Structures are given as C-alpha cells and as structure tokens.
Amino acid sequence: MNTSLVSICIPVFNGEKFLQEALDSIEVQTYPYIEVIISDDGSGDSSLAICKKYQKESNFPVYIYKHKSAGIGANWNHCISKSNGEYIKFLFQDDLLLPGCIEEMLEVFEEHDEIRLVGCKRKILSDGSISWQEKWKERYGDLQKGLRGSEEKEIILNSSILKDRNFFKDPYNRIGEPTAVLFEKQLIDEIGNFREDLKIVLDIEFYYRVLTRSRILIVNKELVGFRLHEKQASRLEAEFHFAEFKLYQKILLDEYWRFLSRTHLYYLIKKRLKYFINPRRNKIR
C-alpha cells in the first residue's frame, strides 16, 4: 500500500462562500496520508477564520501561511514551497475533491512508472442560474474530447500530442485545471515553478513543460468537482483572449517550437511577423 505523503495545496483569496465545502471534501478522502497547506493571499472576508477553525478540528496536519499578494502564480508557488509531501494535489477554494480522488490518482503512479502527472475528468458544479454556464459546459465540460484515445479508460499523452492539430484548438487547456491534477513534487525541481508572469494560462504552460519531459495520464473518470459561478466569468473567458493570447503564442514559438507541427509553427511565425510589422497595434509584453 502506498504511504507517500500528499500535500493538498489550497491557495485562498476571499473564498468564504465555498471554502468550507472545499475543506469538507478533504475529510472524506479514502487516502489517509495527507497534509493541508493553505496560503492566504490577504483575504478581506472570513476565509482566514474558516481555515483556522478547520485547522483546530482536523485530525491531520493543516498549515496556514499568509502570503503578500503578488498574483495567482505566486500564491500557487508559495503553497508548493511550504509543502512537505512527495506529491502535490491542488484544491481551489471553490472546488471539491470527490471521495476516492487522491487514492485513485496515486494508483496510477504505482501502475505506470513513466507517469509524473495524473489528471482526471471533472464533475461540473453549477446551479444553472447564470446564462453562460450551459454554453460553457457544452464547450469546456470535456477537455479531452476529440483527442486520440479519448474514449479509453486511461488517456496517455506525451510530447507528440503537441503536434496534434486539435490540441491547440479551443479549449486550449486539454489537461484540466490544477484541482484536476496530482503530480510529483520533484517535477518542480526539474522543470521549475508555475510562471508568475501569466494569469490565465500558467497551468497550461506548466503542462507543456511536463509533456516535454514525461507522460501525462488522464483518468477517464470524474474525481473532482469544478464549480462555475458568476465571479469566474471574466477569468474563464475575456481575460485569456484579450490579455494573454498573444503572449501565449509568443511562448509557444520561443520555447516549444521544436515540438510543434510544421503547420502550427508556420502559423505562429506568420503571427509574429505581423506583430513586428505593426508593433503598436499588436504589442507583446
């Protein structure tokens, strides 16, 4: 039986509405060897009080750290830096871990030596009261739809997927949000932290780095709950398309060009030339 310590990392910022439900989902995990790392990014609501109460009542280690706000990636990385586990399992403040989540993900590592990061399907949590939710679920509910092996029990991806034409079509994140993955902490030493200059695609770029060194396995089963709510609208839609899309393309061309198909590479080069021709209109930060 696996007895490796898993660090459940929870970056927190003004999450009082759903935070207790997220914390309660840890209590029902079937895997017992866990610790909880909470990094609070200067919440102004009752989030910190909820976390402190949870810390007192839990029968496993819960560590709470205050973090000076410096962006999403900085808070994620702060969580990891404080962790003691062999594996990192993110849990966002508005999401859930379904009961067998950690245990079933760890079984993948025992069965596949070459896997360094495991993902899973997500159960979409939505009350349907917001107009964009149904459209979002139709478009982003199944991130692996259309990929090779997407109907199998386990979907195994390697660097060759970066040549797949469908891999870079919307949805751009084909692995899952951080709540939907578990990975070896040693990966951080090998490929580095999440990029702190990115706000929306930092998890996607991290997965690309993993794929250039290892394989990723997606369990074709819902093991986490991903919540949709009104405050996510700008984060899930507009911010990526308008603030980071050009930077995302620049990163692909500069750092992943050798893994891309010729078609996609030529497309990115053409875009870059367009930026240089008209730099004021197409500024790349």
Side-chain angles (χ1 to χ4, degrees), residues 51 61 65 89 203 216 226-227:
C51 292
Y65 300 96
K89 180 75 193 77
D203 49 351
I216 291 177
F226 179 74
R227 192 184 305 276

Side-chain angles (χ1 to χ4, degrees), residues 5-113:
L5 181 64
V6 175
S7 298
I8 301 176
C9 294
I10 310 177
V12 172
F13 179 69
N14 290 342
E16 63 181 5
K17 185 173 182 178
F18 302 111
L19 180 56
Q20 186 62 57
E21 193 174 351
L23 294 171
D24 289 343
S25 76
I26 301 173
E27 298 288 339
V28 296
Q29 287 304 298
T30 56
Y31 186 79
Y33 306 103
I34 61 174
E35 65 172 6
V36 176
I37 307 295
I38 297 172
S39 176
D40 182 76
D41 220 16
S43 295
D45 62 2
S46 62
S47 293
L48 198 55
I50 293 171
C51 292
K52 288 181 177 179
K53 182 175 182 294
Y54 183 77
Q55 183 184 44
K56 291 179 180 180
E57 297 174 351
S58 295
N59 57 7
F60 45 76
V62 176
Y63 305 100
I64 302 173
Y65 300 96
K66 292 184 179 181
H67 180 249
K68 184 177 180 180
S69 183
I72 295 172
N75 203 17
W76 294 8
N77 291 332
H78 186 242
C79 277
I80 295 172
S81 71
K82 297 297 184 180
S83 65
N84 304 293
E86 184 178 342
Y87 295 94
I88 300 295
K89 180 75 193 77
F90 272 104
L91 170 60
F92 284 177
Q93 62 191 17
D94 39 13
D95 296 334
L96 302 175
L97 303 180
L98 301 185
C101 176
I102 295 176
E103 183 175 7
E104 292 193 42
M105 284 184 158
L106 282 176
E107 287 176 356
V108 173
F109 290 103
E110 294 181 344
E111 297 169 0
H112 301 270
D113 293 337

Side-chain angles (χ1 to χ4, degrees), residues 165-221:
R165 185 177 301 177
N166 291 322
F167 193 72
F168 291 102
K169 291 182 179 179
D170 196 27
Y172 298 99
N173 187 344
R174 291 307 197 115
I175 310 300
E177 300 78 16
T179 291
V181 306
L182 183 148
F183 59 89
E184 295 180 357
K185 185 180 180 181
Q186 188 177 347
L187 267 178
I188 299 297
D189 296 329
E190 297 177 13
I191 67 173
N193 285 308
F194 289 92
R195 287 182 61 143
E196 297 182 8
D197 60 335
L198 298 172
K199 295 180 180 179
I200 308 303
V201 299
L202 63 169
D203 49 351
I204 302 174
E205 191 278 332
F206 182 79
Y207 301 147
Y208 293 169
R209 273 184 278 151
V210 175
L211 284 169
T212 61
R213 286 177 173 258
S214 175
R215 294 184 178 187
I216 291 177
L217 187 148
I218 310 295
V219 179
N220 206 345
K221 181 178 180 181

